[in-house]
Amino acid sequence: MISELAVPLGLTLAAGLATSVGGLVVLRKAQPSRVFLAAALGLSAGVMLWVSFVELFPEAVDSFTAAYGDSSARLYAGVAFFAGIGLIAIIDRLVPAVVNPHEPVVDGASESTGLAPAALRKMGLVTALAIGIHNFPEGFATFVSGTEDLNIALPIAAAIAIHNIPEGIAVAVPIWQATGSRRKGFWWATIAGLSEPLGALIGALVLLPFLGPATMGVVFAMIAGVMVFVSLDELLPTAVATGKHHAAVYGLVVGMAIMELSLLLFQ
């Protein structure tokens, strides 16, 4: 039994740790710039928005269709999507104002980015949380497909790994800027990716016998809502606050293109 699970778990671990590749950007880059930060954050927002609307939300609709039929699937997916937005919005409102990044250009801002360290730290940690939540069901999906058919699991794992790289960048860069430590940025990017094999392990031990189409529909739609909120409320405003809004927009478009390319290559 353990040998049968080794390959699916290994695929899931490899896909999740692709965030470490994004974290390596922090270790190798000599000095950050506002352009680099804006582009990196915009790129991650593009990835998160594209995967939410093009991949996760349609998956939620398909799951609800399998559970309840065509007539109700879109409604249920929409409700779960906005429930995800509501959940992360409540969490955001509960964060003390002193570390809230909605006013990022304040006293004590970094000379290279124009952003306050507290704002960058909070944004990086919230991004890591959102990515971790997103990666959890991805890990479960990769694991399940690996137990059924490796021909399906391999392209899924590859696609997830590709879009995990810019996600790792988006976690590592603000943590680096807030703390001055490249290694902390790298390790937080790695931690965000480890939620993927964690999702696989929990799925293998606990959830697999109980998860049906309706539950997966709720999970996919809510995670899409969380990612959209984080992109619009955290990543893009902070990227624009650097003063390099064109770099943020270019990064956004490139992130979308990378995600679409990964879906085309490995669909």
Side-chain angles (χ1 to χ4, degrees), residues 38-97:
L41 296 175
L43 185 143
S44 185
V47 169
M48 295 174 79
L49 289 170
W50 197 260
V51 75
S52 295
F53 289 122
V54 176
E55 188 178 12
L56 289 179
F57 191 80
E59 281 285 342
V61 173
D62 289 344
S63 295
F64 281 121
T65 299
Y68 303 115
D70 292 334
S71 60
S72 303
R74 191 86 183 189
L75 172 62
Y76 291 145
V79 170
F81 175 84
F82 288 105
I85 289 180
L87 175 63
I88 194 65
I90 290 172
I91 293 173
D92 184 70
R93 294 296 296 177
L94 293 176
V95 174

Side-chain angles (χ1 to χ4, degrees), residues 93-119:
R93 294 296 296 177
L94 293 176
V95 174
V98 69
V99 293
N100 197 309
H102 293 160
E103 301 291 339
V105 183
V106 295
D107 292 340
S110 164
E111 292 184 1
S112 61
T113 65
L115 304 175

